[in-house]
Amino acid sequence: MSEHPLPAHGAAGAPAAHAGRGLVAIFGATFCELVGVFMLSPLLLLRLTDAGMSTAVAGLFAATVWVGILCMAPMASALTQRIGRRPALWLSAAVPVLTGLGFALTDQPALWFVLYLLAGMAGGLRWVLAEAIVAEFSPSHLRGRNVGLFETMVGTTFVIGPAVLAWVGPQNAQAVWWAVGFLALGLLGSLTVPAMPAAHDEGDVHVGLRGVWHALVTHPMVMAIGFIGGFFESGLTAMLPLYGLALGLGATAAALLVSASGLGSALVMLPAGELADRMARHPQQRWGDAANSRRRLMRAGAGLTLAATLVIPFVAGTPWLAAPVAFVWGGAGGSLYTLVMIDIGSRETGNTLVNSTAVLVMSYTLGGVLAPALGAAALQWSPTVGFPALLLIVAGAGYALLRR
């Protein structure tokens, strides 16, 4: 199948009007798909527990989607090289619709595990391609703003999806069809994404695991920053209620720590992208060229993460500090992810861009998976010593790497 790519043109690789249509299409399609995804995820867990499934098995089911993401991310560039970037995007949008229909029409837990794994693999492919497409369609002077706006939009779907589910009613038999409807809108929107700039690296870039390994060796900081961002933005958010309870906070106050982290992420990513654009365009290049200005911002984000983590030993005596710390973790972690995605999109195109984006997605996911696992163990061992020590090790190592 051919996607009839455009010839390269201008800084963004495509004419301005064409690139603008591409950005509108990928924003709208991704928004609809993710609303459906975040409606479906809690709904499936609720239905499994209502059917008598143990909490442990339900947790294993929830983790299946992340396994799918980790399995697919390193293979994204090989698939896109074989069938083309637009057909790969269409595939990543079609599979969730089919798996959603499977959830709606069957109630076999074993089959649900398989479907959720497939949905996770499609989600991993979509994650890599959507990020890469936004970066590639964006003109260089607006790439920071567009990437920051895209990340902020993605963050809103974490709230909007469950809110729509609550409005429809999780016990409503039509709830699953609402989710499938949003997934179908995401597919329709994906079909409207226009042809992409020609990938000039088709003949000489490595793809698959070899390509991801090459991207990792060439730019190891992508892996490091992605891991830190995933650890502090996504991973710690999952266990903040446990941390709040360990501090002696009430259940409501502990749950609100998640909101504090999410608020930090939502409010900071777009300004971070805008600031990256403005610093790069400074007439006297006060902060160096575009790449150096982004590195300065990354170091600042890592420094804020470390500074907030240094406050942790004092939180036990003053629990009200937990919310500001969570806000900084969410904002700094989200900013680091946004800035490194801007950096990747500014230096790479085509399948090379897909490879580096896959490294970022894998490392972010790894950080998001390890943070609750390691954090829960450290929290159980010692909320006042073990937990702060773990966070200081990760934040300190990240800051030291960026300083170097």
Side-chain angles (χ1 to χ4, degrees):
M1 182 183 296
S2 172
E3 55 175 318
H4 305 296
L6 289 176
H9 176 76
H18 184 90
R21 290 197 301 272
L23 287 170
V24 170
I26 195 66
F27 267 70
T30 303
F31 176 81
C32 291
E33 181 170 329
L34 288 180
V35 169
V37 167
F38 293 120
M39 282 186 69
L40 204 55
S41 297
L43 178 62
L44 295 177
L45 286 176
L46 289 172
R47 293 197 170 179
L48 286 173
T49 53
D50 287 345
M53 186 168 288
S54 69
T55 303
V57 176
L60 183 62
F61 176 79
T64 303
V65 71
W66 294 102
V67 174
I69 291 172
L70 285 173
C71 288
M72 174 52 70
M75 308 310 299
S77 60
L79 182 60
T80 55
Q81 186 186 62
R82 179 175 295 273
I83 68 174
R85 284 175 289 173
R86 275 206 303 168
L89 181 70
W90 300 336
L91 177 65
S92 73
V95 171
V97 176
L98 296 176
T99 57
L101 290 172
F103 293 129
L105 299 174
T106 65
D107 57 1
Q108 299 298 318
L111 180 58
W112 277 25
F113 269 86
V114 175
L115 292 174
Y116 213 38
L117 179 66
L118 292 173
M121 295 177 72
L125 180 61
R126 177 69 181 217
W127 189 351
V128 172
L129 291 176
E131 300 275 8
I133 290 170
V134 170
E136 193 155 5
F137 269 137
S138 296
S140 58
H141 67 288
L142 295 177
R143 185 171 288 115
R145 185 195 70 178
N146 289 342
V147 172
L149 185 60
F150 183 77
E151 307 304 346
T152 302
M153 181 274 292
V154 169
T156 65
T157 62
F158 284 75
V159 178
I160 295 173
V164 174
L165 176 62
W167 176 71
V168 174
Q171 304 304 323
N172 187 335
Q174 301 301 315
V176 66
W177 292 106
W178 275 80
V180 172
F182 276 105
L183 295 173
L185 288 175
L187 172 59
L188 292 175
S190 298
L191 294 174
T192 68
V193 173
M196 299 175 198
H200 298 299
D201 57 3
E202 291 286 355
D204 52 19
V205 67
H206 299 303
V207 295
L209 288 172
R210 189 178 179 189
V212 168
W213 175 253
H214 182 265
L216 174 58
V217 172
T218 306
H219 299 287
M221 291 314 306
V222 171
M223 183 78 176
I225 297 170
F227 180 85
I228 297 166
F231 192 96
F232 283 95
E233 183 194 20
S234 178
L236 283 185
T237 299
M239 60 165 303
L240 280 174
L242 295 179
Y243 180 54
L245 293 175
L247 292 175
L249 299 177
T252 301
L256 286 176
L257 294 180
V258 176
S259 298
S261 176
L263 185 64
S265 180
L267 292 180
V268 176
M269 287 188 291
L270 177 55
E274 287 272 12
L275 188 57
D277 286 340
R278 291 178 180 273
M279 290 174 65
R281 295 197 306 265
H282 193 276
Q284 286 79 41
Q285 289 195 324
R286 180 177 177 183
W287 294 277
D289 60 16
N292 281 321
S293 63
R294 287 191 297 271
R295 292 190 191 103
R296 285 176 179 269
L297 287 173
M298 290 179 203
R299 283 196 291 269
L304 281 173
T305 303
L306 179 59
T309 306
L310 288 170
V311 178
I312 284 292
F314 305 99
V315 172
T318 51
W320 64 267
L321 283 173
V325 168
F327 180 90
V328 173
W329 279 342
S335 297
L336 285 171
Y337 181 93
T338 300
L339 290 166
V340 76
M341 190 63 235
I342 296 167
D343 196 58
I344 293 169
S346 298
R347 67 169 181 262
E348 296 170 359
T349 59
N351 284 326
T352 306
L353 173 59
V354 173
N355 278 332
S356 290
T357 306
V359 171
L360 176 60
V361 168
M362 289 171 60
S363 57
Y364 184 91
T365 302
L366 186 62
V369 170
L370 286 180
L374 298 177
L379 199 59
Q380 183 172 354
W381 173 53
S382 175
T384 57
V385 177
F387 187 67
L390 171 67
L391 302 188
L392 284 171
I393 289 171
V394 176
Y399 182 70
L401 285 170
L402 274 172
R403 289 290 297 176
R404 293 179 61 185

